[in-house]
């Protein structure tokens, strides 16, 4: 049941890549899932996204311009950078012009400009922050928003919140998934999975080393974001039983992922959430993850996977040896209990109600 009356919502997507390209990482699926959760509750949703974006069932306003680079590669001291003919600037210019037609704007971009612009808009802006603290400039702009608009910032996990000085003042909303899109697979083949952008902060090399030590094939899915990084891994582990399977749309990915014995999650950084953990659990696939960040809040150690000491391949190998102790049905049940679209819809509506009540006051 709706906890608020139907709203007109304008979603502003990430500006690092078109929806459907994979360049936006987990944000792309998060945006799609939230649109679906809120559309199911009769809210009207319009999405503003870079040209080339694909998202069936929702109106997408495609905006041209040059893409932003990703914040995770730039270092703490990085200045705010904008290309000429910036798609980010163009998206927010569009939002400025149409804002009067909407009750609320929801920002998905982890970038300085949307936070900076917040007080200049008449329509309230809610920001769903998709990464932990990365640069001082963006931290400062988010901190300013939470001071001026105390309800405006939501994050995905407590671990992500802990990376920000002001994290205790942010709302934590988790995430939600259309679980009907994921089929339970009771009997896997003898293979492990790794799913994510192939980029240094994701620590793929540890999963490759663990697969080699365990002698079990590892299948890798995701956007090849950093090609030299991937070639280095191939050079370092020439005999590892790994295959790169490309980037698949959700329907095909879940079919393949479901056939694996476990998902390995080996991030070097504090993963804000880790969508792929829920996608694996939804297929009945246990998750072996480093014990930090979002995955450490998702995996129930010994029940739906194993949490192991970060950055240590041996821990991964030991956990792989124990994978059959995990009941795959329990994994699916956890996804259903904690990460449904309905539960996420409730949390998003409660958040929006707080923002709108404050605005009315
Ligand atoms: N993904 C996908 N196809 C693939 C591999 C990955 O659609 O072949 C998606 C996956 O569904 C997930 C996202 O890529 O939503 C990765 O998100 P995650 O939150 O795990 O990490 P991020 O990239 O945001 O750091």
């Amino acid at each position: 049941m709706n906890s608020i009356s139907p709203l007109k919502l304008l979603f502003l997507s990430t500006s690092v890549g078109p929806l459907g390209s994979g360049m936006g990482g987990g944000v792309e699926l998060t945006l799609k899932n939230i649109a679906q959760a809120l559309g199911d509750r009769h809210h009207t949703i319009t999405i503003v996204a870079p040209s080339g974006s694909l998202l069936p069932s929702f109106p997408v306003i495609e905006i041209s311009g040059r893409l932003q680079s990703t914040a995770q590669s730039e270092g703490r001291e990085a200045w705010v950078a904008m290309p000429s003919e910036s798609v980010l600037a163009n998206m927010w210019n569009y939002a400025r012009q149409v804002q009067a037609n909407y009750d609320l704007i929801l920002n998905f971009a982890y970038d300085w400009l949307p936070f900076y612009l917040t007080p200049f808009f008449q329509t309230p802006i809610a920001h769903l922050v998709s990464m932990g603290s990365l640069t001082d400039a963006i931290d400062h702009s988010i901190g300013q928003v939470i001071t001026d608009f105390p309800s405006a910032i939501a994050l995905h996990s407590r671990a992500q919140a802990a990376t920000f000085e002001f994290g205790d003042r942010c709302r934590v909303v988790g995430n939600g998934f259309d679980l009907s899109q994921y089929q339970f697979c009771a009997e896997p083949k003898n293979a492990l999975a790794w799913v994510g952008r192939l980029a240094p902060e994701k620590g793929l090399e540890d999963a490759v080393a663990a697969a080699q030590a365990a002698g079990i094939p590892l299948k890798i899915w995701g956007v090849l974001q950093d090609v030299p990084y991937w070639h280095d891994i191939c050079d370092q582990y020439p005999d590892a039983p790994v295959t790169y399977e490309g980037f698949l749309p959700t329907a095909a990915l879940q079919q393949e992922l479901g056939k694996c014995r476990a998902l390995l999650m080996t991030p070097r950084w504090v993963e804000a959430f880790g969508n792929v953990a829920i996608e694996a659990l939804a297929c009945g696939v246990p998750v072996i993850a480093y014990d930090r960040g979002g995955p450490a809040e998702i995996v129930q150690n010994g029940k739906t996977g194993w949490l192991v000491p970060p950055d240590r391949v041996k821990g991964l190998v030991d956990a792989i040896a124990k994978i059959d102790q995990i009941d795959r049905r329990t994994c699916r049940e956890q996804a259903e209990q904690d990460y449904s679209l309905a539960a996420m819809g409730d949390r998003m509506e409660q958040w929006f109600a707080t923002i709108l009540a404050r605005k009315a006051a």
Side-chain angles (χ1 to χ4, degrees), residues 294-345:
E297 281 170 40
I298 295 167
V299 175
Q300 297 174 0
N301 193 33
K303 218 172 148 201
T304 58
W306 299 104
L307 291 171
V308 306
D311 308 320
R312 300 239 298 274
V313 171
K314 178 164 187 319
L316 297 169
V317 178
D318 293 346
I320 291 167
K322 298 191 290 188
I323 205 64
D324 292 337
Q325 294 175 25
I326 304 295
D327 175 24
R328 292 173 73 92
R329 184 61 69 181
T330 309
C331 296
R332 170 74 195 188
E333 283 165 10
Q334 190 199 346
E336 286 170 1
Q337 256 161 35
D338 301 341
Y339 300 103
S340 68
L341 275 193
M344 187 61 174

Side-chain angles (χ1 to χ4, degrees), residues 14-291:
T14 170
S15 47
V16 302
L19 286 168
S21 70
M23 285 151 69
V27 174
E28 296 183 25
L29 184 62
T30 299
L31 182 149
K32 177 172 180 254
N33 291 345
I34 292 175
Q36 195 179 333
L38 294 170
D40 289 350
R41 288 154 187 250
H42 309 295
H43 300 290
T44 307
I45 291 141
T46 304
I47 294 160
V48 179
S51 299
S53 287
L54 292 173
L55 193 70
S57 320
F58 292 96
V60 178
I61 311 292
E62 295 185 55
I63 305 282
S64 62
R66 286 170 65 191
L67 299 168
Q68 288 294 108
S69 60
T70 50
Q72 61 263 38
S73 48
E74 288 170 1
R76 278 231 70 88
E77 314 278 305
W79 287 31
V80 173
M82 301 274 293
S84 64
E85 294 167 49
S86 151
V87 74
L88 177 65
N90 293 346
M91 286 164 65
W92 283 89
N93 192 28
Y94 174 83
R96 180 182 63 80
Q97 292 170 48
V98 299
Q99 60 176 313
N101 304 334
Y102 296 91
D103 299 304
L104 190 133
I105 296 170
L106 179 57
N107 169 43
F108 290 84
Y110 185 96
D111 215 311
W112 178 86
L113 186 68
F115 299 108
Y116 177 77
L117 288 176
T118 307
F120 297 98
F121 274 64
Q122 278 75 51
T123 300
I125 304 176
H127 301 271
L128 181 53
V129 177
S130 60
M131 290 190 264
S133 169
L134 289 175
T135 76
D136 294 342
I138 297 181
D139 277 17
H140 186 263
S141 64
I142 304 176
Q144 194 61 50
V145 171
I146 200 146
T147 301
D148 296 342
F149 304 92
S151 318
I153 306 287
L155 311 174
H156 289 292
S157 69
R158 294 188 305 280
Q160 179 194 6
T163 67
F164 295 104
E165 235 172 61
F166 45 78
D168 57 344
R169 292 189 275 147
C170 301
R171 183 175 277 258
V172 174
V173 295
N175 220 339
F177 295 76
D178 179 1
L179 297 169
S180 68
Q181 302 288 309
Y182 299 85
Q183 284 155 354
F184 175 72
C185 173
E187 302 208 350
K189 300 211 160 87
N190 188 32
L192 300 164
W194 189 97
V195 186
R197 291 173 291 107
L198 280 71
E201 67 272 13
K202 294 290 191 174
L204 171 59
E205 61 277 21
D206 287 5
V208 170
Q212 174 156 299
I216 301 181
L218 177 73
K219 297 186 167 195
I220 299 163
W221 288 278
V223 162
L224 193 39
Q225 203 169 48
D226 187 331
V227 176
Y229 167 70
W230 168 238
H231 287 160
D232 280 352
I233 295 176
C234 296
D235 290 346
Q236 205 183 339
Y237 300 99
D239 304 320
V242 305
T243 47
Y244 174 57
E245 308 278 336
F247 176 79
L248 299 181
T250 303
L253 176 67
Q254 66 84 31
Q255 230 167 42
E256 297 304 317
L257 175 59
K259 292 181 207 150
C260 295
R261 288 179 64 195
L263 173 75
L264 302 184
M265 290 189 77
T266 48
R268 294 262 176 257
W269 68 347
V270 174
E271 187 84 51
F273 187 74
N275 279 355
V276 299
I278 312 301
E279 299 186 87
L281 294 175
C283 300
V285 176
V287 179
I288 296 173
Y290 283 153
D291 190 6

